[in-house]
Each structure stands twice: as C-alpha cells, then as structure tokens.
C-alpha cells in the first residue's frame, strides 16, 4: 500500500515535469505488463518451433528452410524485443534500464537492422541463384552481413562518441530517453536505405520460378518488416518521445514482436505442421513437386510420382569431405553446386554429359561434362 502511494506520487511528479516541457506523459500500467507478457509468450512458441526444427533437421522440407539463417532471425527478433521493452518505456527507466545508448543503439537499433539484413539476404540469394544462375557462397554470401554490420557499427559509434545533446540523453526527472531530431532522422534514413535494397531485389526476382515457396515467403516477410519500419517512422514523427505515450509505445512494440514472430512462422510453420501431422505423405508430395518443377526427365520420375533407378533422393545426398572443405564458407547454404546452377529442364545426372539428349546431331563428338552435384536444400533455403 505504501509502495503504491509512493509510486503514484512519483508518477505525479513526472507528469508535472513532462507537462512543463510540453510532453503528455502516460505512466506505466497493466497494458505495458500485458505487452511484455504476450510478446514473451509468442517468442516462447517460436523458440519451441526452432528447437523442434533442429531436432528434426533431417526432414527434408524443414532442412530446406535454412535453419542457421532462420535461427539468426529469431535471435535478432528476441534482442530487438528486449530493446523495445527498454526504449519504449514498458519498464521504469531507472538503474540499468536508464542506459539509453546501450538499449537504443547497441540493442534495439542494431538487431532491428540485422533482422532487416537477414530479410535482404534471403532475396539476395534468390537473385544470385535463379536470376544470375551462379553459386551463392564466398563474398556473395558474407558481403550483405559485413556491409550491414559496418553501417550499424559506424552509426552506433558516432552516437556513443558524440555529445548526448545531439544524439541520445537520459532525463532523470522524466525517467525517459530523449532523442535529438537529427540523429533520430539519420537512424530512420539508414533503415530505409536497407529497405530500398530489399525492394530492388524483390523486383529483380519477381519472374523467377514460382513453384519455389521462398519467393512468396520472402514477399510476405518483406511486407511484414516494411510495415514495422513504416510504423516506427510514423510513431517517431508523431510522438516524441514514443515512450511517453501509452498507446504509441504499446502499438510500436506489438507490431515489432508480431513482425519478428510471424516471420519465423511463415518460414517454418507449414513444414513443421506437416512434419508433426502428415510427415510421410507430405514428404512424398514435396519430392514429387520438385520433380514436376522440371526435373522429372533428368531424375527418372514418372508422371504418377514413382521414382526410377535414380530418384529424387539423389538431390539430397551429402557432399563428400573434399566438397565440404571446398564449400566450407557457405555455412548458410550448404551443398551448393560444384559448377554453374543448371537452367530449368537442364539438370544432369551424376556422370551424364550435356550430349545425353539423343536429338543431338553430333553426339559422337561431344565431350563428357564435369559431374554436377545439385542440392535443393541450397535452392529452397535461399
């Protein structure tokens, strides 16, 4: 009772101090507690889904979803949510919660930016695999991550070194983090620059083979994250600071954690559901669909889905030790091709030459081609 009365008196002092600065301050209440509880529960569900996927990573439709990158998305989403709790004022910003630069720059902004970077990499991989018809490994794989890390590092270091008056400072009377207009605008501009790249690559991959769900999934994920960025821009423009306004801060955090969790569910939800309730039937349909996507002739898949001597299983054979060492850098997209990605209707069986087609006029003069190993784990996990 005494603590409750003391808390209300402190809130009254804060509200009065905020009013003197022209800010309408809404104190923390049960809605903020509910926001933290619901967000934590949803991330708990996503965590269970991630753990289940790793425990069943040999199930091919799950393995094709690129678990390392999906797990990285989940980690970024969790830390983004933790940053929201602090910077959006869902807890009393005293003690460790008053470290505005730590929570705003190094936690919230950093992992929100890296989350967007993971979305960019998914679309970027589709571009290299299906538009450029090239391997996605080495510098192509790591360049987006390195570029994003350098951008956010420079931005955060500038905010850490510069004066709090022109970046972020803590107001002890209001118990709020106050953001300088110019620095806040620069942060939003950095995020929109990332999304300009996402939009460009989404346009470039718009005509690729539609049977691969990654294209539709990437579009849905891109729209979800774009919605989160739009609401952040609007909230930062209307409410300054967002943490002072109850509806603004709760709406912002809800959209952020829904975006992060729905992204995980869009990627893993369907294959995990099928693995639990319809494992064998869905696996057969999934393999048959791959065959129908232009590889039936090359892998001896009949029209009714029955496999010949060389089956769709050969698409998922693990590379030998020499191949693994050769592609050790492609940790996100394991099992890439030894040579160029084959065009549709042109994949070759191991040891088969490009002159296998009997319609070739100069069959006897054709030289055997190099063996090409194809792994649809790498294609569908882009």
């Amino acid at each position: 009772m005494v603590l409750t009365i003391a808390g209300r008196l402190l809130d009254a002092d804060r509200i009065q101090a905020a009013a003197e600065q022209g800010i309408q301050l809404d104190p923390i209440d049960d809605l903020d507690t509910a926001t933290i509880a619901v967000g934590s529960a949803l991330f708990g569900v996503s965590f269970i889904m991630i753990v289940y996927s790793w425990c069943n990573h040999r199930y091919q439709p799950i393995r094709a979803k690129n678990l390392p990158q999906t797990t990285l998305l989940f980690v970024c989403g969790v830390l983004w949510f933790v940053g929201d709790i602090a910077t959006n004022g869902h807890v009393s910003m005293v003690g460790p919660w008053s470290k505005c630069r730590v929570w705003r720059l190094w936690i919230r902004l950093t992992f929100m930016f890296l989350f967007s970077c993971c979305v960019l990499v998914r679309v970027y991989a589709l571009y290299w695999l299906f538009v450029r018809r090239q391997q996605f490994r080495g510098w192509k794989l790591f360049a987006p991550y390195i570029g994003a890390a350098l951008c956010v590092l420079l931005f955060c270091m500038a905010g850490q070194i510069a004066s709090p008056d022109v970046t972020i400072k803590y107001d002890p009377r209001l118990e709020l983090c106050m953001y300088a207009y110019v620095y806040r605008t620069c942060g939003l501009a950095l995020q929109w620059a990332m999304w300009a790249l996402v939009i460009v690559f989404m346009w470039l991959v718009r005509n690729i083979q539609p049977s691969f769900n990654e294209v539709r999934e990437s579009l849905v994920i891109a729209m979800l994250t774009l919605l989160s960025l739009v609401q952040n821009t609007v909230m930062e423009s209307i409410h300054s600071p967002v943490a002072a306004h109850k509806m603004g801060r709760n709406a912002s955090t809800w959209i952020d954690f829904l975006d992060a969790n729905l992204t995980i569910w869009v990627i893993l939800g369907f294959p995990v559901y099928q693995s639990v309730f319809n494992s064998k039937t869905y696996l057969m349909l999934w393999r048959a669909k791959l065959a129908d996507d232009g590889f039936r002739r090359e892998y001896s898949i009949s029209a009714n889905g029955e496999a010949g001597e060389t089956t769709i299983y050969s698409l998922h054979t693990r590379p030998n030790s020499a191949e693994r060492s050769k592609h050790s850098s492609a940790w996100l997209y394991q099992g890439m091709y030894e040579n160029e990605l084959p065009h549709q209707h042109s994949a070759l069986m191991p040891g088969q030459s490009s002159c296998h087609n009997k319609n070739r006029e100069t069959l006897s003069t054709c030289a055997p081609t190099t063996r090409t190993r194809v792994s649809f784990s790498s294609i569908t996990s882009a």
Side-chain angles (χ1 to χ4, degrees), residues 2 22-23 27 38 53 55 117 159 169 232 288 326 337 378:
V2 174
I23 298 173
V38 173
S53 298
C55 291
C117 179
K169 66 179 179 179
N232 270 289
K326 180 179 179 181
Y337 319 119
S378 60

Side-chain angles (χ1 to χ4, degrees), residues 140-153:
K140 299 169 190 173
L141 172 62
F142 293 106
Y145 290 107
I146 295 174
L150 287 175
C151 289
V152 75
L153 179 63

Side-chain angles (χ1 to χ4, degrees), residues 58 63 137 313-330 333-338 371-378:
R58 293 186 181 278
R63 190 172 70 202
R137 61 186 181 89
Y313 283 96
S314 62
L315 294 173
H316 301 275
T317 53
R318 292 181 176 275
N320 56 39
S321 58
E323 290 167 328
R324 285 197 299 269
S325 63
K326 180 179 179 181
H327 304 299
S328 59
S329 62
Y333 297 87
Q334 298 178 9
M336 302 302 290
Y337 319 119
E338 292 179 11
R371 175 179 178 178
T372 302
R373 181 181 296 272
V374 183
S375 171
F376 274 89
S377 297
S378 60

Side-chain angles (χ1 to χ4, degrees), residues 22 51 104 109-110 136 168 196 209 222 246 265 279-280 314 327 335 358 362 377:
V51 171
R104 175 73 179 193
L109 178 65
T110 297
F136 185 66
I168 303 172
Q209 192 166 278
K246 180 172 68 173
W265 299 351
S279 178
K280 293 183 179 179
S314 62
H327 304 299
K358 294 181 180 180
T362 58
S377 297

